Amino acid sequence: EPEVTQTPSHQVTQMGQEVILRCVPISNHLYFYWYRQILGQKVEFLVSFYNNEISEKSEIFDDQFSVERPDGSNFTLKIRSTKLEDSAMYFCASSQDSTLPQLTNSPLHFGNGTRLTVT
Amino acid sequence: GIQVEQSPPDLILQEGANSTLRCNFSDSVNNLQWFHQNPWGQLINLFYIPSGTKQNGRLSATTVATERYSLLYISSSQTTDSGVYFCAVERYSGGGADGLTFGKGTHLIIQP
């Protein structure tokens, strides 16, 4: 079964450094997302991406964050200047099978996450 | 934004028991999904169920959209069912793919 893959599984960085989290969504999906989960808390939406542009973003997704789809398979999240409070598990997800009718909603499929620790 | 309340927050059961997890939401939604986060942190999609009833093996779910709640049923629990169960909802704004709003989850422990 196709799956969302994320790299690295763990990332440790110093405060103020830039990090790039990488994701390969399911190949025939149209929508891509980033979510984060601070340890022991609920999952929070960051951003959605469709047709090579941001579709929606939350209040968390401020100017230090950016997303990019540099080629036909990768989807990245960049944090420009990391802060201690950015420490969390970051999940990539994808949905909406392009082979299905466009009005058909489809389940969200998550990757295994990247655990980011900012020291 | 939409509020999602899940109950109970914690549940400890013996293997073989049945359980019902509840999700209440504060506004009408177009999208409701249930997820299982296993002890390794992986988020597994269980059901996409904005309305109606679905079953998958020992798990089933029912969403009553008009009354703004959903229920997840787990029958004959196994230790591998342990983890956190999240309900997540979305109300489409018409502008594109909005994000899911998650509840705080139900932490389920199945004891052998």
Side-chain angles (χ1 to χ4, degrees), chain A residues 31 33 35 37 41-45 48 55-56 91 105-108 110-112, chain B residues 30 33 35 37 41-43 45 48 86 92 95-100 102-104:
Chain A
Y31 290 95
Y33 308 81
Y35 287 78
Q37 184 180 32
Q41 299 188 22
K42 65 179 181 179
V43 180
E44 301 174 292
F45 168 71
S48 59
S55 175
E56 190 73 26
F91 290 101
N105 298 307
S106 66
L108 202 61
F110 282 92
N112 288 340
Chain B
N30 310 95
Q33 304 188 32
F35 297 89
Q37 187 166 40
Q42 296 173 314
L43 281 164
N45 193 295
Y48 168 77
F86 288 105
Y92 298 146
D98 298 341
L100 289 169
F102 280 70
K104 293 183 178 180

Side-chain angles (χ1 to χ4, degrees), chain B residues 27-40:
Chain B
D27 203 348
S28 58
V29 298
N30 310 95
N31 184 356
L32 187 147
Q33 304 188 32
W34 282 97
F35 297 89
H36 175 219
Q37 187 166 40
N38 64 24
W40 296 271

Side-chain angles (χ1 to χ4, degrees), chain A residues 21-32:
Chain A
L21 310 182
R22 304 181 189 279
C23 169
V24 179
I26 294 174
S27 63
N28 59 345
H29 279 187
L30 299 175
Y31 290 95
F32 316 123

Side-chain angles (χ1 to χ4, degrees), chain A residues 3-60:
Chain A
E3 58 183 26
V4 177
T5 57
Q6 290 186 243
T7 55
S9 56
H10 294 87
Q11 174 93 47
V12 180
T13 189
Q14 287 191 326
M15 194 167 54
Q17 295 297 303
E18 174 183 287
V19 295
I20 297 177
L21 310 182
R22 304 181 189 279
C23 169
V24 179
I26 294 174
S27 63
N28 59 345
H29 279 187
L30 299 175
Y31 290 95
F32 316 123
Y33 308 81
W34 285 99
Y35 287 78
R36 79 172 186 189
Q37 184 180 32
I38 295 172
L39 187 63
Q41 299 188 22
K42 65 179 181 179
V43 180
E44 301 174 292
F45 168 71
L46 293 178
V47 65
S48 59
F49 194 85
Y50 170 73
N51 200 25
N52 288 319
E53 62 182 18
I54 290 175
S55 175
E56 190 73 26
K57 59 184 181 179
S58 72
E59 292 177 350
I60 302 169

